[in-house]
Amino acid sequence: WGKQSYRWSDLDFEANAKDGIAIDWPIRYKDLESWYTYVEGFAGINGNKDGLPQLPDGNFLPPMEMNCVEKDVAARIKQQSGGKRAMIIGRSANLTSPKPDQNRACHYRDRCWLGCPFGGYFSTQSSTLPAAVKTGNLTLRPFSIVTEVLYDKDSKKAKGVRVLDAQNNQTYDYFSKIVFVNASTLNTAWLLMNSATDVWPGGLGSSSGELGHNLM
């Protein structure tokens, strides 16, 4: 994802309804606007406020600067299009100002692909995990493979997960009020399909028959 971080606008949320395909989104930009602001403040998103309706401005750190060639190209595009086209600096989750509350700073070493020991870009390791540890409510359990989301037929909700310990080959069940599935495209689909029950024979939440199809 190159740390590129953009807000959706109502052009995105209203597209299905206007184009007459699929189903309409149940929310609009205004429903997420305050959450975008919160997340951007936590993660540290740099960008310029460009006033583009298709890319809403956000809670930005100072933008990275275009080089001289990029500035010239941007000026020519604006001139030739009569201001109808814009080339802007990317909005990315790279710090342009330190975040001392998270002990993170970017040193502009241009070696992001090697991993950053200074937490210069947003990542689980540099941001969310340390914040979760500070709450005192986190138990980090490595070498654990979630094989199934546990479903409660009475409450009609997920109630926990079943985990296979990759070191001792033992199975453990963990229970919670809320279960977040953050396993990316393929493994999320696999996990939900592997959580099939007689209630959800095609996989957990498979009422539409689309689970495992149209992966993106």
Side-chain angles (χ1 to χ4, degrees):
W1 61 301
K3 311 299 180 289
Q4 296 297 301
S5 305
Y6 302 90
R7 296 186 178 201
W8 272 20
S9 72
D10 276 330
L11 290 172
D12 300 293
F13 287 108
E14 296 172 359
N16 283 4
K18 288 181 177 179
D19 293 341
I21 60 172
I23 58 173
D24 187 19
W25 279 85
I27 58 173
R28 290 295 184 263
Y29 173 67
K30 63 181 176 60
D31 298 306
L32 284 186
E33 186 174 8
S34 63
W35 292 103
Y36 271 128
T37 298
Y38 175 80
V39 170
E40 288 164 346
F42 178 86
I45 309 299
N46 77 77
N48 189 59
K49 295 195 174 182
D50 301 293
L52 301 173
Q54 68 271 33
L55 290 176
D57 294 328
N59 180 20
F60 296 145
L61 297 173
M64 292 185 177
E65 190 176 0
M66 289 185 181
N67 62 38
C68 59
V69 175
E70 291 167 337
K71 288 179 180 177
D72 186 57
V73 172
R76 294 189 187 202
I77 289 175
K78 183 177 181 180
Q79 180 183 19
Q80 291 295 323
S81 69
K84 295 180 180 179
R85 296 288 184 267
M87 175 175 149
I88 66 173
I89 192 70
R91 300 166 179 179
S92 68
N94 296 80
L95 297 183
T96 54
S97 298
K99 288 188 69 64
D101 58 317
Q102 296 182 17
N103 194 31
R104 297 171 53 209
C106 177
H107 293 242
Y108 283 82
R109 301 184 308 154
D110 194 24
R111 299 170 67 84
C112 304
W113 64 90
L114 297 177
C116 182
F118 306 106
Y121 59 78
F122 173 77
S123 70
T124 300
Q125 290 84 351
S126 69
S127 304
T128 47
L129 277 180
V133 169
K134 286 182 180 179
T135 68
N137 296 321
L138 171 71
T139 299
L140 192 60
R141 198 182 197 287
F143 308 108
S144 303
I145 305 166
V146 178
T147 60
E148 182 182 348
V149 177
L150 303 174
Y151 178 72
D152 188 324
K153 295 180 182 179
D154 295 328
S155 66
K156 298 182 179 180
K157 294 180 180 180
K159 62 180 181 180
V161 293
R162 180 156 293 152
V163 169
L164 175 66
D165 189 303
Q167 292 183 310
N168 64 20
N169 210 34
Q170 297 297 308
T171 298
Y172 304 92
D173 290 349
Y174 294 95
F175 301 95
S176 62
K177 293 180 180 178
I178 302 175
V179 177
F180 291 92
V181 181
N182 304 308
S184 294
T185 303
L186 295 178
N187 280 330
T188 293
W190 171 84
L191 178 59
L192 294 176
M193 293 176 77
N194 207 49
S195 304
T197 66
D198 54 348
V199 177
W200 304 102
L204 185 60
S206 61
S207 58
S208 68
E210 289 301 310
L211 183 63
H213 296 82
N214 310 308
L215 300 176
M216 294 180 63

